[in-house]
Amino acid sequence: MNGTIERLLAHRSIRKYKPDVPVTQEQLETIIAAGQAASTSSNIQAYSIVGVTDPERKARLAELAGNQKHIVECPQFLVWCADLNRLQTAAKLHDADAEIHMTTEAFVLATVDTALAAQNAAVAAESLGFGIVYIGGIRNNPRDVAQLLQLPKLVYPLFGMCIGVPDQEPDHRPRLPLSAVYHRESYSGEVIEDGIRQYDETMQAYYNSRAGGGRDTVWSKEVAARMAQGPLRPHLHDFLHGQGFRLI
């Protein structure tokens, strides 16, 4: 096993950071450059990153994301945005009336590009000794986030990312077994239930071993409860439509 794979397998979400240890400008630029090196569909690079260090703005983002205090406490917060505005701007350099087609495929391309770049950046940050955690709560109130960050049409905030030097050692959370996620040649539903049952046993032991212990639950029960809460963030469709993304 090489160092890169060891780094990937060692990933843990970090929500507590050492105070007064900043991410330097040089380190930030290196992290973003690593993100930019990620694969991108047809070289469109359809993402933008908004870096936030201002305490008041971080506090407001923390509130909008569900009062997640680690947004306030981390020295560097990044908001990763799917961005088709830059593509339209580029097109208008050659034709003032140019309008790129804002289809579901374009939305997917921008979303995937953003996620690929962010994960590259996350690995780069961890290689420099930082810890990260993704903040999907940014999508709780996307209109307010877009207004706060002055995002134009054709740009939407996908998720946030806290970066800082870890001040905690959380347990490594097990993942699903290979048999539950990898299919040979074609999708096989037969192996999924066995993989889930195996993972439930693993996660039950994990929950019981954590600080406090005694949590009587399994992964399948947790995700079933999560998905039974009703449609997740149903407001996103109207927000995206208002931002110019036509999901057709």
Side-chain angles (χ1 to χ4, degrees), residues 124-184:
E126 290 175 340
S127 76
L128 294 174
F130 296 111
I132 71 100
V133 65
Y134 283 99
I135 307 295
I138 283 295
R139 301 188 301 278
N140 288 356
N141 297 282
R143 284 190 177 87
D144 291 329
V145 171
Q147 182 177 13
L148 180 67
L149 302 181
Q150 300 180 18
L151 303 182
K153 291 291 183 69
L154 304 181
V155 179
Y156 84 92
L158 184 56
F159 45 68
M161 179 187 289
C162 297
I163 304 177
V165 175
D167 194 23
Q168 61 176 173
E169 288 287 340
D171 296 331
H172 187 272
R173 183 176 296 180
R175 295 298 198 241
L176 283 159
L178 181 66
S179 61
V181 299
Y182 178 66
H183 304 262
R184 296 181 185 275

Side-chain angles (χ1 to χ4, degrees), residues 176-181 190-202 219:
L176 283 159
L178 181 66
S179 61
V181 299
E190 296 179 0
V191 302
I192 292 177
E193 186 171 336
D194 287 341
I196 292 172
R197 292 185 185 281
Q198 178 183 337
Y199 189 53
D200 277 349
E201 292 181 5
T202 299
W219 178 80

Side-chain angles (χ1 to χ4, degrees), residues 29-135:
E29 290 177 2
T30 298
I31 291 167
I32 292 175
Q36 288 187 272
S39 297
T40 169
S41 179
S42 301
N43 200 34
I44 61 174
Q45 304 174 69
Y47 55 85
S48 287
I49 308 129
V50 180
V52 181
T53 56
D54 176 71
E56 291 186 4
R57 186 169 280 111
K58 285 198 298 178
R60 178 57 177 156
L61 287 170
E63 179 184 1
L64 293 172
N67 297 312
Q68 299 192 53
K69 66 179 183 178
H70 31 284
I71 296 177
V72 176
E73 296 171 351
C74 72
Q76 180 69 62
F77 188 64
L78 302 180
V79 180
W80 292 84
C81 304
D83 185 351
L84 294 178
N85 175 66
R86 187 167 55 244
L87 302 184
Q88 179 142 290
T89 301
K92 287 183 179 295
L93 293 177
H94 303 278
D95 180 355
D97 297 323
E99 294 288 340
I100 61 177
H101 297 291
M102 298 303 167
T103 62
T104 299
E105 173 66 4
F107 166 79
V108 170
L109 289 178
T111 302
V112 171
D113 262 19
T114 308
L116 292 175
Q119 186 59 18
N120 254 32
V123 175
E126 290 175 340
S127 76
L128 294 174
F130 296 111
I132 71 100
V133 65
Y134 283 99
I135 307 295

Side-chain angles (χ1 to χ4, degrees), residues 206-240:
Y206 168 77
Y207 290 135
N208 286 331
S209 67
R210 298 184 71 185
R215 187 177 174 191
D216 185 20
T217 189
V218 293
W219 178 80
S220 60
K221 184 178 180 180
E222 292 289 300
V223 296
R226 168 69 170 162
M227 302 310 294
Q229 293 175 2
L232 301 178
R233 301 188 178 105
H235 55 270
L236 281 176
H237 180 274
D238 289 346
F239 167 72
L240 291 169

